Amino acid sequence: MADQGLNIAVIGAGAAGVFAAIHAAQGNSQVQIFEASNKALAKVKISGGGRCNVCHDVQNNGALLKAFPRSSKAMRKAFGQFAYPETRAWFESRGLALKVESDGRVFPSSDDSQSVIDILLGELKAADIPIHFSKRLKAVVAKGAQFELDFGSVKESFDRVILAMGGQAQIRGFGPLDPLGLDIVSPLPSLFTFNVPDSDLKDLQGLSVPMAKVQIPGTKWQQDGPLLITHWGFSGPAVLKLSAWQARDLAERNYKFPILINWLNWTDTDYEAFVGEQLKLFAKKKLANARISELPRRLWERLVLRAQVSLDKRWVDLSKKELNRIREQILRAEFKVSGKTTFKEEFVTAGGIALSELDFKDYSLKKFPGLYAVGELIDVDGITGGFNFQHAWTSGFLAGRASAQ
Ligand SMILES: Cc1cc2nc3c(=O)[nH]c(=O)nc-3n(C[C@H](O)[C@H](O)[C@H](O)COP(=O)(O)OP(=O)(O)OC[C@H]3O[C@@H](n4cnc5c(N)ncnc54)[C@H](O)[C@@H]3O)c2cc1C
């Protein structure tokens, strides 16, 4: 077939669409990209605060799958073929120097997302793949072995179509896909921070702890990691992970729910051991002067205040009840979340084309041989840290390669 020159259309010039197009350009295949806006790779440009967090340093696919709250089982097949090592090798072999930050996020060494864009656009150019701008797909209709694409003023038919309309499609609706009758999971925001309007810690904004656990009482929902106090509530990886994993549950609760914060991810036994040490070493010192060294001083003071204990008390003078109240503040400080705030505009959308519609071997749509869907358009969303782009590269690579065969 490839010798006869397959006619391949990619819809959307985002990360997933461009990567798919590059890999669809094999043999005699004729690849074209259709983009609704007048820009290619617009999200790559602004991603990661302009630095583009290209992917995440995870050598083991088991760990990589854990970054995808609702789709990890399905994607095992995909990541088994193209994951972090392949992504890194692909970019580096084309001259993009990459660096890994201490938390595993991978950025271009230039700290400039334009370096990533230059590599991708260079590849499109080398493969002679045009991008047709201001071409918004209005409908895709399966006609025999081909697909008719309706762009409003014109209709064109293709042998293969790769749908890569991204999260934007979620905002604008899935209208172009209507003729296909696909199962769509309704879109919801993921990756948000928690608003706590009556938090008594707001004035401590900017303080953070490196390893907290945030849990929602009465459920098994909990995540750990760094936690940041903000002027509106809480942020940081522990909160963002919880927002991603529980995106649907929290939407169902209309973003109103209690949380318990364990500031140091301690067990009750850890606390007992700490108190034992304090009584041995600092019994005659005041709480103000002999704190838990891992907690920022102002946070310690506030938690003691919340426990209704005076900072002027000496450790030796604390009653059992007072020690218990301090324990609750360190291990289970309660706050009432009411509302959410987008994380640095860096939201992703949970929802999209249902996982059951896809074969993750190559991101083909099971009901429509020759039609593929990649990137954020499908019901896959990752936690923050470069995982959403990793999915764009993986799905783009697999669908692109398969479409040309
Ligand atoms: C501010 C911000 C920063 C981010 N930073 C990071 C980061 O550093 N690392 C990370 O991993 N993830 C990051 N993300 C998430 C990541 O950008 C997305 O998951 C990723 O861009 C999805 O790629 P995509 O190609 O599927 O979709 P998109 O990048 O959204 O591309 C889709 C394209 O399709 C076009 N389109 C839509 N509808 C049509 C239509 N009907 N016809 C034709 N064209 C159409 C759109 O105009 C767009 O160009 C960030 C997200 C945001 C919002």
Side-chain angles (χ1 to χ4, degrees):
M1 279 290 273
D3 289 344
Q4 294 162 24
L6 284 170
N7 209 2
I8 303 174
V10 177
I11 312 299
V18 167
F19 213 62
I22 292 167
H23 292 94
Q26 294 170 38
N28 289 338
S29 65
Q30 298 292 315
V31 186
Q32 304 178 57
I33 304 180
F34 297 89
E35 164 58 46
S37 75
N38 57 5
K39 269 198 207 117
L41 300 167
K43 265 205 205 167
V44 174
K45 181 76 182 164
I46 56 167
S47 66
R51 296 199 297 143
C52 185
N53 179 191
V54 187
C55 50
H56 199 96
D57 179 17
V58 265
Q59 303 289 343
N60 157 346
N61 282 350
L64 176 58
L65 289 165
K66 286 200 182 121
F68 294 88
R70 281 159 288 278
S71 47
S72 56
K73 219 169 135 202
M75 288 190 322
R76 193 171 289 278
K77 253 190 201 171
F79 286 135
Q81 302 177 75
F82 193 92
Y84 169 63
E86 291 80 11
T87 304
R88 187 168 183 144
W90 191 89
F91 279 105
E92 286 183 332
S93 67
R94 281 155 182 85
L96 183 70
L98 293 169
K99 60 172 178 180
V100 182
E101 302 213 325
S102 59
D103 57 2
R105 291 180 303 160
V106 179
F107 289 90
S109 302
S110 62
D111 275 332
D112 184 356
S113 58
Q114 190 60 41
S115 328
V116 180
I117 294 176
D118 290 345
I119 297 284
L120 293 168
L121 294 185
E123 287 290 310
L124 287 184
K125 197 160 174 230
D128 242 343
I129 301 170
I131 306 180
H132 305 289
F133 290 104
S134 305
K135 281 268 200 176
R136 177 175 295 283
L137 179 72
K138 299 275 199 286
V140 52
V141 182
K143 286 207 164 164
Q146 286 210 314
F147 298 94
E148 186 185 78
L149 304 184
D150 180 353
F151 293 104
S153 49
V154 279
K155 288 181 180 167
E156 290 185 51
S157 288
F158 292 86
D159 303 310
R160 306 275 197 266
V161 174
I162 301 174
L163 301 166
M165 288 105 86
Q168 200 197 334
Q170 320 252 3
I171 300 160
R172 299 183 66 100
F174 293 89
L177 308 182
D178 282 351
L180 302 172
L182 297 172
D183 187 11
I184 304 276
V185 177
S186 54
L188 277 176
S190 177
L191 290 188
F192 47 84
T193 67
F194 295 168
N195 295 357
V196 182
D198 58 3
S199 166
D200 51 358
L201 304 186
K202 281 186 204 163
D203 59 315
L204 302 185
Q205 60 172 285
L207 288 188
S208 63
V209 286
M211 184 40 92
K213 183 165 77 189
V214 181
Q215 62 180 119
I216 300 179
T219 73
K220 289 190 173 150
W221 308 334
Q222 61 178 51
Q223 290 293 334
D224 54 34
L227 179 72
L228 173 71
I229 300 172
T230 65
H231 66 273
W232 66 87
F234 297 104
S235 180
V239 164
L240 290 166
K241 276 198 272 176
L242 198 52
S243 81
W245 279 91
Q246 259 54 66
R248 291 201 177 277
D249 306 308
L250 301 183
E252 273 165 24
R253 293 181 173 209
N254 204 15
Y255 306 105
K256 286 195 170 70
F257 51 91
I259 51 169
L260 299 178
I261 296 180
N262 182 336
W263 296 96
L264 298 164
N265 206 356
W266 271 7
T267 61
D268 287 80
T269 316
D270 292 332
Y271 179 74
E272 306 288 331
F274 164 74
V275 170
E277 280 287 290
Q278 294 299 92
L279 290 174
K280 215 160 67 190
L281 301 173
F282 306 114
K284 295 198 172 144
K285 285 208 167 192
K286 291 178 180 175
L287 292 185
N289 302 328
R291 65 183 162 93
I292 301 177
S293 57
E294 294 95 326
L295 279 182
R297 183 183 52 78
R298 287 198 300 145
L299 178 58
W300 162 252
E301 289 170 1
R302 189 61 57 85
L303 293 177
V304 172
L305 198 74
R306 278 183 129 231
Q308 295 168 327
V309 178
S310 163
L311 282 159
D312 286 332
K313 271 212 159 174
R314 300 182 310 167
W315 279 94
V316 69
D317 298 328
L318 291 174
S319 69
K320 199 158 183 350
K321 276 190 178 161
E322 287 172 321
L323 280 170
N324 283 345
R325 290 208 299 272
I326 295 175
R327 174 216 310 259
E328 291 313 293
Q329 288 303 322
I330 305 295
L331 269 69
R332 287 172 282 269
E334 184 166 357
F335 297 89
K336 285 195 170 49
V337 174
S338 179
K340 59 173 171 42
T341 298
T342 305
F343 172 63
K344 290 188 189 165
E345 304 303 314
E346 206 161 304
F347 53 90
V348 291
T349 315
I353 298 176
L355 303 181
S356 56
E357 296 281 6
L358 289 143
D359 182 344
F360 281 84
K361 166 174 82 15
D362 56 8
Y363 287 76
S364 54
L365 286 158
K366 290 178 191 163
K367 292 177 198 147
F368 298 99
L371 188 60
Y372 303 81
V374 295
E376 220 178 299
L377 177 66
I378 70 174
D379 185 20
V380 169
D381 58 285
I383 59 175
T384 182
F387 299 105
N388 286 298
F389 277 140
Q390 180 62 65
H391 180 246
W393 313 133
T394 297
S395 57
F397 172 84
L398 293 176
R401 187 180 64 172
S403 70
Q405 281 156 16

